[in-house]
Every structure is written in structure tokens, then in C-alpha cells.
Amino acid sequence: MDKNAAGAYVYAKASGIIGKSFVGDRARILFEQKNLQDLWSLLFKSHPPMIPETLLARQIEVEALRRFVNQYADFINAYDNPDPILIDQLYIYEAENLKEIAAALCNGEEDCPAVVDLGRFAQIDYSAWPDIKAMTKGSIFSWYNFVPGADERQKMEAKVDMQVITHLWQSLEKERGENYQVLNQIYASEYEVKNIIWALRLKLFYDMDVNQIKDNLIHVTPEVSAADPLAGPALKILDFPTDDFDAWTGWKYSSLLNPHTDGLVWQIDPVWMEQRSRVELEKLAFKLFHQYPMSVCSLVAWYKIKHFELGCVRTAVESLRLNINSFEAMDAVGITAAGGDDNG
């Protein structure tokens, strides 16, 4: 379809899916299920397979991810010439596939591991297994052309993650006008905030200094500095006192702060902030999805909304598998038992 026809079709279909999804106030329904079998039936409207619970837990996550990716890929396929930034969203899962492949090769496994099927949007040539150089040739991961040792894997995985974010940012910078402004808002709310929370964790929980923290931040410029659009805000807050609530009240992301009670000692809580940031990103995505219908922005926003749902599904699965209290599970993803996450 041409761009206008595809935009109208995709927005209508995406709106219908959102209406039936477990997001906003409906997210809490996931955590009301009594067992994994009930959760399967709720999500997939079918009888669960007769398999052990450990396998069923894994199968729920796999099926939820498969459906999400397939729905999103179907939307992109509706366009004759989809915007590259829409395709680039899938690189997050291509990166996870590459990590699984590298781990399997590192462990000497003979068979290619199960990976997320990205169809025609896959960059990695999975048919070239087990030749990792041939598999990654021509992709944004072509530099990953050897099997890492066990002591190198973590470093390589971090490099893969950085590659994805750098590529997403480069695609963003090719956008113009309204698309750039809106997508920049989404990306900043995700990656800028992730950096801030990670910097606080490293400072408070690992007692790292500024130089050590710099080495662990997401960045899209050659050097990690105050000028970097993603790392700069994280470096700036390292000078804020972590036990003075008033010092943070005028901050850009003050809505993420853990509550302060007069007369009680306050300490900034990056765990609270991380939970709250997930909901704030979902709320922003909801707003932008409806505010910019039939556009690239609305589809990226839809992707973020459904990605939040996927995280809730995974948390619900773990809470049932490990017999974790549903209130604690909801708290982990930033929603409350009483009122979802305020997105109705």
C-alpha cells in the first residue's frame, strides 16, 4: 500500500489490538490469574498445552513474544516502502538472537538455538550456522565475526546493545520535522532515563566514581561527555546530593522520584525510579499513539506500548512460577493493584 493508505490501515488495526491488550488499567488482570494455565488461556484464548509448568512458563513467554513481533512485522509489511526507523525497532530482538547464538557457540553446542523469527527483516543469516562470521556478514553486527571466550561474552554483549542503540539514534537523526521531535521524545524518555538510573545504581550500590560510571553509560557520540545527548544528563545528576529531596524538585524527571515525607530521612531510590520510568514511558507512548495517528510516530509508540505489555507478561509468568505475591509482582513493573498504571 502507499504511505497514506498503509498509515490508515495500520492505525485502525493497531488501535484494535491496543483495545484488547493488557496495558493501562488492564495490565493488572495479568496478575489476577491463579496459575500459568489461566494466564495462557487469558492471553491466547485457547487451552494450554499439557506440559510441565516450567516448560509452560517458557512457552507463554515465547508465544507472547512471537505474536508481538509478528503483529509489528505485519504492520511494517503494509507499507510499500517502510520508514527505516520502523524496521530498526526489530534490531533489539536481532541483538538478543545474536547473544543466544554466541552463547551456544561458546558452549560448543551443535544445533542453532531457538531464536526470534524476524522474517524478511532479519539481518543475520541463520542458515550459515555455525559460521558466525558468515551469519553476521553484511549486517550492522558484521564486526561480531568470531566466537568469544567465556570471559569475553559479557563485554561483547554490551557492545551488541550499544550497537543497537547507536543505530537507532542514527536513524532518528535522519528523520525531519515533527517525526524527529516526537521520536526524540520517546528515545530520550527511554535511553536517557536508563542512563540516569544506571548511573545512580553504580554510584549508590557499587560506590563507583565518575570515570568508572562513564565507562558503563550508553552513548551515541565517540566520547562519553556532557555533550552526549544520552550520557550527558546522567553525568550532570552525579553532582546532585542523593539525600536532599529539595535539590531534585526542579529536575526534568522529578516525577520519577520516590516520595518524600517531612521529618523522615530521604534517599533517592533508583529501583523505584526504574519501576516508575516504565510506566511513564508507557503513558507517553499512549499519548503519542493517539496524538499522531497514521504516522511513523504512532507505530513506534504502539511498539513501546506492546513492549511494556510483554514485560508485564514475563513478570506475571515469573510471579506464578516462583509463587511471588501478585502485589509485589505488580510493584516490580510499576503498576498498582488498585488502579493499573493510570492509562485507562
Side-chain angles (χ1 to χ4, degrees):
M1 295 184 228
D2 65 42
K3 191 170 185 178
N4 290 335
Y9 167 79
V10 166
Y11 185 71
K13 292 283 288 184
S15 295
I17 291 172
I18 288 293
K20 298 175 183 178
S21 297
F22 298 97
V23 292
D25 286 341
R26 283 172 51 82
R28 61 190 172 86
I29 300 174
L30 294 170
F31 300 92
E32 294 173 354
Q33 306 312 299
K34 303 302 182 184
N35 52 56
L36 290 170
Q37 290 78 10
D38 289 348
L39 183 60
W40 175 283
S41 298
L42 174 73
L43 290 169
F44 309 127
K45 304 298 186 286
S46 65
H47 293 296
M50 300 296 290
I51 54 178
E53 288 225 336
T54 301
L55 296 179
L56 181 59
R58 175 60 181 159
Q59 195 59 37
I60 291 173
E61 294 185 22
V62 168
E63 181 63 13
L65 174 57
R66 185 191 69 80
R67 292 194 178 196
F68 164 48
V69 169
N70 285 351
Q71 286 171 341
Y72 184 71
D74 285 346
F75 289 153
I76 304 175
N77 275 318
Y79 292 87
D80 291 335
N81 296 295
D83 192 303
I85 205 165
L86 295 178
I87 299 172
D88 291 349
Q89 305 303 312
L90 293 172
Y91 288 162
I92 292 171
Y93 296 105
E94 191 95 85
E96 294 305 311
N97 286 349
L98 180 55
K99 292 176 190 177
E100 291 290 332
I101 288 166
L105 290 171
C106 185
N107 294 329
E109 296 177 18
E110 295 184 0
D111 298 325
C112 184
V115 294
V116 181
D117 184 4
L118 301 178
R120 72 182 185 93
F121 301 114
Q123 283 209 347
I124 294 173
D125 181 3
Y126 299 99
S127 67
W129 167 274
D131 185 346
I132 194 169
K133 183 176 182 179
M135 294 178 78
T136 60
K137 183 180 179 181
S139 75
I140 64 170
F141 306 110
S142 58
W143 50 267
Y144 206 137
N145 53 17
F146 65 97
V147 178
D151 58 335
E152 297 177 287
R153 264 182 52 202
Q154 186 174 5
K155 181 179 179 180
M156 294 295 283
E157 287 183 357
K159 190 175 178 181
V160 167
D161 291 336
M162 189 70 73
Q163 173 75 66
V164 171
I165 295 168
T166 300
H167 188 80
L168 285 170
W169 195 263
Q170 290 171 344
S171 293
L172 169 65
E173 291 185 327
K174 294 175 184 176
E175 297 290 332
R176 295 292 179 266
E178 187 176 80
N179 278 359
Y180 174 81
Q181 296 298 327
V182 175
L183 294 174
N184 184 60
Q185 192 177 358
I186 293 174
Y187 281 16
S189 294
E190 183 170 9
Y191 297 116
E192 185 179 313
V193 169
K194 278 186 177 180
N195 259 350
I196 289 167
I197 293 168
W198 186 232
L200 286 170
R201 280 179 176 271
L202 296 177
K203 179 179 180 178
L204 293 172
F205 302 157
Y206 298 95
D207 197 29
M208 288 190 182
D209 61 30
V210 173
N211 289 327
Q212 291 173 308
I213 292 172
K214 275 185 176 182
D215 292 338
N216 288 277
L217 294 180
I218 301 166
H219 58 95
V220 291
T221 55
E223 299 293 332
V224 180
S225 69
D228 188 279
L230 298 183
L235 294 176
K236 181 179 179 181
I237 59 95
L238 291 176
D239 291 330
F240 290 13
T242 57
D243 58 355
D244 183 358
F245 182 81
D246 291 339
W248 296 80
T249 52
W251 180 50
K252 178 181 179 180
Y253 296 109
S254 60
S255 62
L256 302 180
L257 295 173
N258 47 301
H260 172 254
T261 302
D262 288 338
L264 297 180
V265 175
W266 180 85
Q267 175 81 37
I268 197 165
D269 184 357
V271 176
W272 172 285
M273 292 174 68
E274 183 174 15
Q275 294 165 354
R276 192 64 207 164
S277 70
R278 296 191 188 108
V279 174
E280 290 290 314
L281 179 60
E282 190 212 14
K283 288 171 66 176
L284 174 64
F286 259 103
K287 174 185 173 183
L288 298 177
F289 175 76
H290 294 297
Q291 190 173 348
Y292 299 94
M294 298 177 287
S295 70
V296 168
C297 302
S298 69
L299 190 46
V300 173
W302 182 92
Y303 176 93
K304 296 299 181 184
I305 294 167
K306 292 292 289 183
H307 186 74
F308 176 83
E309 180 192 43
L310 187 63
C312 289
V313 168
R314 288 169 169 164
T315 303
V317 167
E318 283 301 288
S319 69
L320 290 169
R321 188 175 71 83
L322 301 175
N323 198 28
I324 297 171
N325 182 283
S326 62
F327 295 102
E328 293 179 21
M330 283 188 282
D331 188 54
V333 293
I335 62 177
T336 65
D341 60 12
D342 307 321
N343 274 319

